[in-house]
Every structure is written in structure tokens, then in C-alpha cells.
Amino acid sequence: MNPVTILIADDEKEIADLISLHLQKEGYKIVLAHDGKEAVRAIETQAVDLAVLDIMMPELDGFEVVRQIRERHRLPVLFVSAKTSDFDKISGLVIGADDYMTKPFNPMELVARVQALLRRTTRLNSARADEPITIESGGLAIVPDQRRVSIYGVPVELTPKEFDILCLLASHPRKVFGVEQIFQQVWGEAYYEVGNNTVMVHIRTLRKKLGEDNNKDKWIKTIWGVGYTFNG
């Protein structure tokens, strides 16, 4: 079984090392980041199970880091910050953090809170095991098993081929698919010249239904001369 991985993001090295020391004693694997961009990059490139974040960090503050995490991830987040006002605590929780501690803190209490968050996440994940998988990005939600699409909770009616194209792209975010690839995978036929126009027409109507007339490339991006990709 792989060890639980915890991200610690704090620009104060002494505090990050202190938290790391106590969590490593409990058997957790630690990933360190010293600014907000580094924290986001760590979560996008590694399997992180929980994040301990400072708020006042260079590059991106903790609030913005949580906003970006919540666009794609469900991992629990614990703020550990020198900001002590009720307003800051409430703001952190409203934005998407699961818990909030103020500096200075008791390291053993921090460990206890981390363990409580991990236990709660394990229970929630068990409860979700039977739920259909949902692909989410910036308000767009796709449920492949139920062939449902919505934007901020509002259903979007797509034709079967439009749905298949969207699902193909969204299931592989940032991977570029050529028109020939899309045609072969969605239509299940050998590619022929008319297929190019067929795919382009479906992409155009799909974008319109997703409301991309005024917000071009929000989800489906054209890579000129190559194909299309999903901005997930």
C-alpha cells in the first residue's frame, strides 16, 4: 500500500520543516512547496492526498491555490496561517478549505486534525464508490455513464455524437486529438475526406451549446493545423 502523501506549502522554511517532521513521524510521505505556484504544480503532477497550506505565500496566495485545487480535485485542505481574524477563517472555509489553524500552533494538534481529515475523506470516498464518475472543469460537469452534461447545474442537451466528442476530449485533458482521430473514435469508421468537415461541424455546434460563442476556447481549444484539445 502506498503511503499517504501530504503537501506542505509555506514560504517559512522553519514552519514547513516543523510540520514535515511531525507528519513524517506518523508515516506520511511529505512534498514541500515554498510558494503558491509550486504548490499547484505539485498537486497537478503528483498524487497528493491532503494539503497543508499557508495563506500569505509568494506567487499565488493560499486562497488562490485552493480555488485552483477545487476546480479539479477533492483532496482535503488545512490552512495554517498567521491570519487570526474570524473573517479570514470564514473566508478560508468558504473558498474551499476543510479546516483552519492559526499560528503559532501545537504540532500534535495539527497532526490530530490531519488524521481526522483523512479519516473523513476515507469515509466519503467509500460512500461515493457507487456514484457515477463525473468529469468537472470550471462549471462544466460531464457524467459519462449517464451521458449527462450540465453547466453550473443547468442541463445541456447534446446529440449522441456531440456528447461522444466532448467526452473523448474531456477524458484526456490537454491531449491534442487530430480530426482523423476524433472521426475514427467517435464514428467508428475509417477516415475519409468528408470526415474532416463532419467533425468541424459537430465541434462548432458543440461549442455553441456550451456557450463558447462569447468565451472562445474556454473548454474546447483549437490547435491550428493539428486538431482540438480540452482545457481541463
Side-chain angles (χ1 to χ4, degrees), residues 106-224:
N106 182 321
M108 297 310 297
E109 180 185 353
L110 184 145
V111 170
R113 293 201 188 196
V114 164
Q115 292 173 335
L117 287 173
L118 289 170
R119 284 196 300 272
R120 187 172 73 183
T121 302
T122 299
R123 289 196 300 269
L124 288 174
N125 287 342
S126 296
R128 290 189 184 117
D130 295 329
E131 292 182 4
I133 295 173
T134 301
I135 302 170
E136 297 178 293
S137 175
L140 175 67
I142 307 163
V143 187
D145 290 347
Q146 299 178 0
R147 300 186 70 82
R148 288 193 291 108
V149 176
S150 62
I151 298 177
Y152 295 109
V154 179
V156 178
E157 297 298 329
L158 301 180
T159 67
K161 294 300 187 220
E162 290 166 356
F163 180 88
D164 290 342
I165 291 172
L166 178 61
C167 196
L168 172 66
L169 298 177
S171 297
H172 304 83
R174 304 193 184 283
K175 176 179 178 179
V176 179
F177 285 86
V179 170
E180 183 174 346
Q181 285 179 287
I182 295 173
F183 186 84
Q184 289 175 340
Q185 293 201 41
V186 171
W187 275 264
E189 301 174 10
Y191 181 76
Y192 54 96
E193 189 174 349
V194 178
N196 183 62
N197 189 54
T198 301
V199 171
M200 290 177 64
V201 169
H202 278 76
I203 292 281
R204 190 181 308 127
T205 57
L206 174 57
R207 279 175 159 158
K208 186 173 182 179
K209 290 180 179 181
L210 295 178
E212 292 203 341
D213 296 14
N214 299 320
N215 195 355
K216 191 175 181 182
D217 289 350
K218 180 176 182 180
W219 288 299
I220 300 174
K221 182 177 182 179
T222 300
I223 308 298
W224 293 107

Side-chain angles (χ1 to χ4, degrees), residues 15 20 23 37 42 68 83-84 93 115 132 149 161 228:
I15 292 179
S20 175
L23 290 175
K37 284 187 177 179
Q68 294 194 26
K83 289 177 169 286
T84 60
L93 296 171
Q115 292 173 335
V149 176
K161 294 300 187 220
Y228 301 93

